Amino acid sequence: MKKMLLLLGCLFQACFSFAQLMPQQWQSDLELLKKSMSEQAPLFFQRQSKKSFEQAISDLSAKLPQLNNFQTALSIQSILARAHDGNTYAELKSLMMAENPIPFGLGYYADGIFVSGTVKKFEKAMGKKVLKINGQDIKSVVERLSMFVSSDNDLSVMRDGFNLIRFPGAFKMAGISANDTLNLLLENSSGKTELVKLYPINLKNSKDMMPLATQQEQKDLRWQPMQNYYTNHWLAEDSTLYIQYNRCLSAEMSLEAGDSISARQLPPFAPFADSIIAFLQRTPGTKLLFDLRFNTGGNPADGLRLIERIKADPNLNRKDRIFVATNLYTAGAAITSASQFGKET
């Protein structure tokens, strides 16, 4: 497999009891949703009409007696997803925890889609390239799963869709399978193909549930546990100052917002930024790699100020010195910084 673009973790989840809600309870939620979106989220109706939204809510209301919690929540999410707004979605994690998923994960790599993690029970699927799922090519599967994804770009559809492919309730509703089984047509490194069936298994069987996951081929700092909001590493072999920028938060930003309590719990960014600039100025041949992969967002102000300082110094603001890394998990504020790096430096 070539350079990794996406690795889905959390291959399986613990089961928790979640009481089935009555149709009347869901009905109350649907009415609240309809009222709230109409009154408080006018931008939501830029890509779907208010009339079609309210009709979809009414159609779902009529089906409530035939649906379980997860199916109802997925149906709500499919209605919200029609707006193609990444900030408007139903939080499904608590309901997903009550489901019994198929224990496997798909990784999106430069040379295709691979089974990047599974369990002992399905070890013959591990690490192999996925050609088709239930007779459908990957593009078709992703298009079907897009019905659940609140996003306006294809890569986010792939990321979030592949997270849902593990859940029978989701892939059956998407029309990928008529039952709880997924048939994967796989290809090994020699080009040989085989069909492997995946299905939910007993989570209590420790032998079957022994996890298997891909290992990086070479050292990658991003595989280390995230310890801090931002850290730096000197990569001597590459003459590169490597910055992990994991959260767009700082003591300064909290103070600017008038939140002194949070400011005491957050690290200051200004001294960190000063050290970056000073080091680059002292070492003319050094490159800067600013890593925003997996940055969970916050406020872009600190990053934008750092970019302005780099932009103002012609010895730093050079095409062969500044590099920025993002991936499918880079959140909004970090995306803003990455975009500004591209425009201003």
Side-chain angles (χ1 to χ4, degrees):
M1 284 175 273
K2 298 178 182 176
K3 182 180 179 182
M4 184 184 74
L5 299 180
L6 171 65
L7 175 64
L8 293 175
C10 302
L11 301 179
F12 33 84
Q13 307 178 32
C15 286
F16 295 91
S17 59
F18 197 107
Q20 175 65 35
L21 299 180
M22 299 297 291
Q24 297 90 330
Q25 294 172 293
W26 279 115
Q27 183 64 51
S28 176
D29 285 343
L30 289 176
E31 290 300 321
L32 177 61
L33 176 64
K34 183 167 66 173
K35 184 174 185 294
S36 299
M37 299 307 292
S38 298
E39 295 179 355
Q40 302 174 27
L43 296 180
F44 177 77
F45 298 107
Q46 288 183 332
R47 295 191 183 182
Q48 73 165 322
S49 69
K50 183 177 178 181
K51 181 179 179 180
S52 65
F53 170 72
E54 292 181 345
Q55 183 60 53
I57 293 292
S58 296
D59 294 343
L60 176 56
S61 296
K63 299 176 183 177
L64 288 175
Q66 289 79 47
L67 304 177
N68 62 30
N69 285 330
F70 191 48
Q71 292 169 330
T72 302
L74 281 173
S75 298
I76 292 173
Q77 174 55 32
S78 69
I79 295 172
L80 296 175
R82 297 175 192 176
H84 300 284
D85 175 11
N87 294 314
T88 306
Y89 58 92
E91 178 54 74
L92 302 177
K93 289 181 181 178
S94 60
L95 288 170
M96 291 168 74
M97 293 292 283
E99 294 292 301
N100 185 17
I102 298 177
F104 83 113
L106 294 178
Y108 174 39
Y109 299 79
D111 51 344
I113 308 302
F114 290 78
V115 177
S116 57
T118 185
V119 292
K120 185 73 173 176
K121 178 76 173 179
F122 304 125
E123 63 180 326
K124 59 182 178 181
M126 184 63 208
K128 293 178 181 174
K129 187 175 183 177
V130 183
L131 302 179
K132 292 186 177 183
I133 299 178
N134 280 44
Q136 305 168 54
D137 60 39
I138 295 298
K139 182 179 179 180
S140 298
V141 170
V142 172
E143 287 177 351
R144 289 180 178 275
L145 291 169
S146 68
M147 67 180 290
F148 301 122
V149 181
S150 296
S151 176
D152 56 2
N153 66 81
D154 294 338
L155 292 179
S156 291
V157 170
M158 190 168 290
R159 177 195 68 192
D160 296 338
F162 282 167
N163 189 42
L164 283 169
I165 190 65
R166 301 173 293 131
F167 295 90
F171 62 67
K172 287 193 290 186
M173 188 180 296
I176 296 170
S177 177
N179 51 47
D180 290 355
T181 299
L182 291 178
N183 298 294
L184 273 58
L185 181 62
L186 303 173
E187 179 183 81
N188 64 19
S189 57
S190 301
K192 183 180 178 180
T193 62
E194 66 176 315
L195 193 66
V196 177
K197 292 186 177 183
L198 305 182
Y199 46 86
I201 59 178
N202 188 344
L203 300 180
K204 296 180 180 180
N205 190 325
S206 58
K207 182 179 179 180
D208 284 348
M209 289 298 292
M210 184 181 299
L212 304 172
T214 53
Q215 299 296 320
Q216 67 273 30
E217 294 180 1
Q218 57 189 18
K219 184 178 180 181
D220 180 352
L221 289 169
R222 278 304 325 180
W223 283 74
Q224 306 303 316
M226 186 175 70
Q227 300 292 334
N228 302 296
Y229 282 13
Y230 20 88
T231 59
N232 62 74
H233 304 268
W234 170 239
L235 307 181
E237 185 177 342
D238 301 305
S239 297
T240 297
L241 178 61
Y242 172 78
I243 305 297
Q244 282 187 0
Y245 193 44
N246 299 318
R247 294 292 302 276
C248 298
L249 294 172
S250 69
E252 293 93 334
M253 281 193 287
S254 291
L255 287 174
E256 289 175 11
D259 186 355
S260 59
I261 296 177
S262 295
R264 289 195 294 268
Q265 301 173 22
L266 293 170
F269 185 78
F272 185 70
D274 290 342
S275 68
I276 293 173
I277 299 296
F279 187 86
L280 293 175
Q281 290 174 335
R282 291 197 308 268
T283 53
T286 295
K287 300 180 181 67
L288 172 68
L289 173 53
F290 204 73
D291 190 354
L292 293 165
R293 297 176 296 166
F294 305 100
N295 186 301
T296 54
N299 186 315
D302 286 333
L304 298 181
R305 281 192 281 260
L306 175 63
I307 292 167
E308 286 299 315
R309 295 178 66 180
I310 293 174
K311 174 187 176 182
D313 189 332
N315 292 319
L316 302 184
N317 188 16
R318 290 169 44 187
K319 193 172 184 178
D320 60 348
R321 292 202 74 181
I322 311 299
F323 301 85
V324 178
T326 64
N327 70 357
L328 304 184
Y329 289 95
T330 307
I335 287 291
T336 299
S337 294
S339 177
Q340 198 70 359
F341 262 115
K343 293 176 182 177
E344 302 293 334
T345 68

